[in-house]
Amino acid sequence: MRRTRLAGALTAVLALALTATGCGDGSGHGSGGPGAPASARTATTPDRVEPLADPAGPRLPVTVPSADGRTVTVTSADRIVPLSGSLNEIVFTLGLGGKVVARDITATFEQAADLPVVTRAHDVSAESVLSLRPTVVLAESTTGPAEAVAQIRDAGIPLVVVKPAKELADVGTRIDAVAAALGVRDSGTTLRERTRQRIDAVRKGIPAREEKPRVAFLYVRGSAAVYLLGGAESGASSLLEAAGAVDAGKESGLTKDFTPLTSEALAQAAPDAILVMRKGLESVGGVEGLVELPGVAQTPAGAGKRVVAVDDGVLLNYGPRTDQVLKSLVGQLYGKQK
């Protein structure tokens, strides 16, 4: 329960930050080597998702399990409302973007930009959702408040809850769940396989190293004075390990999701590099501002100003663009991949 509340709180802070500062470029491609100031890099590709080339149309009705223990029957996918950025990304990539009528504020990619926003700080406005006459709503286990979710259900709208993503292994599972709910299982299989192949291709290019780099994931929002060090349940461990690195927070004994950033905690983690979200880095004044946070300058990462930044909208999505996130991590840690 505590982890769910904190996950929701972190998403809320991220949503507010996106509202105040605008969206990241979302490309996931870094152009600098280890320690290159993320704020100095520029995007070379637009923030777009890549829909399947030949998507199938929905075959409905379908009856599917919902992650909240219910069974939901979906009869139409003509007007879809995904209530998270990650779910929006999956729906668009399945080729059903033309049927999406709303977005969560964290859905920052280009194709969704003109859709009305029905959430703020991760809180859903049931009235806004219902005004768009959706035929199906997709939600996360952390979507709230519960009263809003109940109001949408009470209006007779099929609402399917999808389990949250925590690690690389969840990518295919979430794609399958969304595809099943929308009656496009075959497209889901195609997208899951495409995503797996792309992730595998990135992993094959990771250079072999006798000593793996220790990377600490910091969640920072200077405007809200939020400074946290990620542990085993932060969501970043699986990505770091797939990139051939060690999650320094997890390895130092932090078993929960996040802990307040302190000099003692960072000294114990002793990271060689620091992973941050791009907007978070900007919020503390870039790399120079980051090393001024408690204990950062005293770590090998801070002393060498080795900072890895990935766009907020994709870092922990574990969706169809996970290969881009992984490629960015690998490129910034070890130098550009060929």
Side-chain angles (χ1 to χ4, degrees), residues 213-217 229-230 240 246-254 265 268-273:
R214 296 170 59 85
V215 183
F217 173 42
L229 170 61
L240 291 173
V246 172
D247 182 338
K250 173 183 176 181
E251 200 274 339
S252 70
L254 299 179
Q268 184 70 22
D272 301 308

Side-chain angles (χ1 to χ4, degrees), residues 82-332:
L83 293 178
S84 77
S86 177
L87 293 175
N88 262 281
E89 180 177 331
I90 294 173
V91 175
F92 269 82
T93 311
L94 286 168
L96 298 176
K99 297 179 181 293
V100 177
V101 296
R103 69 180 176 95
D104 173 73
I105 196 168
T106 60
T108 60
F109 55 91
E110 187 176 291
Q111 292 102 318
D114 294 332
L115 291 172
V117 175
V118 292
T119 63
R120 179 173 177 80
H122 207 52
D123 281 346
V124 178
S125 167
E127 292 78 9
S128 296
V129 171
L130 294 174
S131 72
L132 295 167
R133 298 175 289 108
T135 57
V136 58
V137 174
L138 302 174
E140 305 264 3
S141 300
T142 54
T143 299
E147 295 80 7
V149 174
Q151 187 176 344
I152 294 170
R153 275 211 173 99
D154 290 345
I157 309 300
L159 189 149
V160 180
V161 178
V162 180
K163 290 182 179 179
K166 298 179 182 178
E167 57 185 26
L168 213 60
D170 295 330
V171 175
T173 302
R174 282 169 62 82
I175 290 173
D176 285 344
V178 173
L182 300 179
V184 289
R185 290 181 185 272
D186 289 346
S187 290
T189 299
T190 300
L191 179 57
R192 171 166 44 82
E193 182 61 18
R194 186 186 85 175
T195 305
R196 182 193 65 78
Q197 290 176 356
R198 291 180 176 183
I199 291 172
D200 287 348
V202 177
R203 297 185 75 170
K204 287 178 182 177
I206 297 174
R209 295 172 64 101
E210 290 186 10
E211 188 172 347
K212 295 181 178 181
R214 296 170 59 85
V215 183
F217 173 42
L218 301 190
Y219 187 95
V220 296
R221 281 295 182 267
S223 56
V226 174
Y227 309 108
L228 303 172
L229 170 61
E233 298 293 334
S234 72
S237 292
S238 182
L239 281 171
L240 291 173
E241 291 162 4
V246 172
D247 182 338
K250 173 183 176 181
E251 200 274 339
S252 70
L254 299 179
T255 58
K256 54 184 181 179
D257 37 26
F258 290 90
T259 192
L261 183 64
T262 64
S263 299
E264 293 76 17
L266 269 179
Q268 184 70 22
D272 301 308
I274 290 172
L275 169 65
V276 290
M277 292 181 177
R278 196 179 303 280
K279 288 296 180 183
L281 184 64
E282 292 175 2
S283 76
V284 295
V287 174
E288 297 300 328
L290 186 70
V291 298
E292 294 298 321
L293 296 181
V296 173
Q298 286 70 50
T299 65
K305 297 183 179 178
R306 291 184 290 272
V307 177
V308 175
V310 177
D311 295 307
D312 305 48
V314 294
L315 177 57
L316 299 180
N317 266 7
Y318 289 109
R321 291 191 288 177
T322 299
D323 66 296
Q324 296 181 27
V325 176
L326 193 56
K327 185 174 182 179
S328 179
L329 282 173
V330 172
Q332 293 179 69

